Amino acid sequence: MDVVSDAITAVRVGRPSSDRMRVDGSWCVRFAPYDGAGFHVVLEGGCWLLPDGGPPVSLVAGDAVLLPHGTGHVIADSPADARAVARALPFESVRGAWRRTGPKDDGTAAGAGGTVEMLCGKYRLDRSRAHPLMAELPPVVHLPNRVGSHPELRSAIDLLGRELGGQRPGGGVAVPSLLDLLLVYMIRSWLTAEGTAGSWPAVLGDPVAAAALRALHADPAAPWTNERLAAEAGVSRPTLARRFTALVGRPPMAYLTWWRLNLAAGLLRGTEDPLAAVARRVGYGTPYALSHAFSREFGTTPGRYRAGEPAGVPHAEGRAARTAGAARGPGTPRTAGAAPAG
């Protein structure tokens, strides 16, 4: 897969959920912090998003907003003051009253006069394996509805709104798929939006770094070396090392090792494959080699991690490697031959 697909797949767990909601008059509701990502799409009217610790955001019809780190927030009909925010009702207490099961019988849009209609939902994420691209997303990603902007996102919003507007055959399959598509389009829109701050839009826009990442993500178990990867990117080894490290934050083989171990973590929790099979799938020649690297990175053995034990404090060797290359992020630097393919 490509980098963005892998970054999303690595952290996404379970099934996303959403509701199509309708509210009138004066209102103010709170969404508690969530161990995942939340989103809102305004279908009609306008409202305000008041994120905890952040500035208010005005939302109008067609706007989408993603809260990728599960930031607690308030949605209100106006930019409420601190006193009103403190009295905001929990969303769960009004959810049933707000739910809209279908379009009006006469086929017209919901009434003007302060009516707001929106899609509200959330994704379950496992942040222990978060890719730096996902970690770099800001607390609030606001994607305004502008003419000609994000056409794929607009299409996904329209399709999702229609599916949630009534009981349609196959909706149980269509809605989760559309929600997954919506997340991809929101992140893609952020990456390509003018003025987006962050290193990963630059990484994916750089032909050398992007080519190397595509190769590593397409076949992470291959016996990669710096020379082979440089040839794949069409540059010299020093050029690849310099540009990749400057943009990604760690050398190519260190990134590969970190990504292989994250893939292994996903396979340990998501499959019943024996450790030897997991090792082969992620580019380690033996279960012992994978177990040693995994324990250093995650602070626990593969078996304990598979059994549900959370990642612990990495071993001293791993901490020393991080201190030596703090800018590289959560992976432990390894030499090109440290994780040979089986």
Side-chain angles (χ1 to χ4, degrees), residues 9 20 28 96 215 241 260 304-305:
T9 302
R20 183 167 178 165
C28 185
R260 283 172 167 172
R304 289 174 178 170
Y305 184 85

Side-chain angles (χ1 to χ4, degrees), residues 99-110:
R99 194 188 299 263
R100 179 177 186 262
T101 58
K104 294 180 66 177
D105 292 340
D106 61 5
T108 63

Side-chain angles (χ1 to χ4, degrees), residues 129-230:
R129 303 195 305 271
H131 189 279
L133 185 154
M134 298 294 288
E136 189 175 88
L137 287 163
V140 176
V141 177
H142 179 205
L143 301 167
N145 181 22
R146 297 194 179 107
V147 175
S149 66
H150 319 307
E152 299 94 347
L153 176 60
R154 303 300 153 201
S155 297
I157 289 171
D158 182 59
L159 288 171
L160 183 57
R162 291 177 182 273
E163 288 294 332
L164 291 171
Q167 300 296 323
R168 297 189 174 193
V173 174
V175 170
S177 298
L178 286 170
L179 287 172
D180 287 340
L181 190 63
L182 182 67
L183 178 61
V184 172
Y185 284 160
M186 285 191 288
I187 293 175
R188 183 188 292 174
S189 296
W190 171 77
L191 285 167
T192 58
E194 184 177 351
T196 295
S199 63
W200 277 91
V203 171
L204 298 180
D206 181 81
V208 173
L213 284 167
R214 280 195 301 270
L216 294 179
H217 280 260
D219 191 2
W224 291 107
T225 63
N226 284 307
E227 290 82 1
R228 178 180 175 182
L229 191 60

Side-chain angles (χ1 to χ4, degrees), residues 162-329:
R162 291 177 182 273
E163 288 294 332
L164 291 171
Q167 300 296 323
R168 297 189 174 193
V173 174
V175 170
S177 298
L178 286 170
L179 287 172
D180 287 340
L181 190 63
L182 182 67
L183 178 61
V184 172
Y185 284 160
M186 285 191 288
I187 293 175
R188 183 188 292 174
S189 296
W190 171 77
L191 285 167
T192 58
E194 184 177 351
T196 295
S199 63
W200 277 91
V203 171
L204 298 180
D206 181 81
V208 173
L213 284 167
R214 280 195 301 270
L216 294 179
H217 280 260
D219 191 2
W224 291 107
T225 63
N226 284 307
E227 290 82 1
R228 178 180 175 182
L229 191 60
E232 188 76 24
V235 295
S236 68
R237 175 178 168 175
T239 297
L240 172 66
R242 182 176 65 253
R243 290 176 66 168
F244 192 100
T245 305
L247 288 168
V248 176
R250 72 187 85 181
M253 295 300 106
Y255 177 92
L256 174 61
T257 297
W258 170 79
W259 180 239
R260 283 172 167 172
L261 294 174
N262 273 263
L263 290 175
L267 292 170
L268 288 169
R269 289 275 175 89
T271 75
E272 297 181 357
D273 292 352
L275 187 59
V278 172
R280 288 193 298 270
R281 289 181 64 178
V282 300
Y284 282 81
T286 68
Y288 174 79
L290 172 60
S291 182
H292 179 72
F294 190 93
S295 297
R296 186 178 61 239
E297 176 65 30
F298 284 87
T300 189
T301 66
R304 289 174 178 170
Y305 184 85
R306 168 169 269 171
E309 180 178 300
V313 178
H315 293 176
E317 181 185 349
R319 289 198 300 272
R322 285 175 176 76
T323 302
R328 300 181 185 122

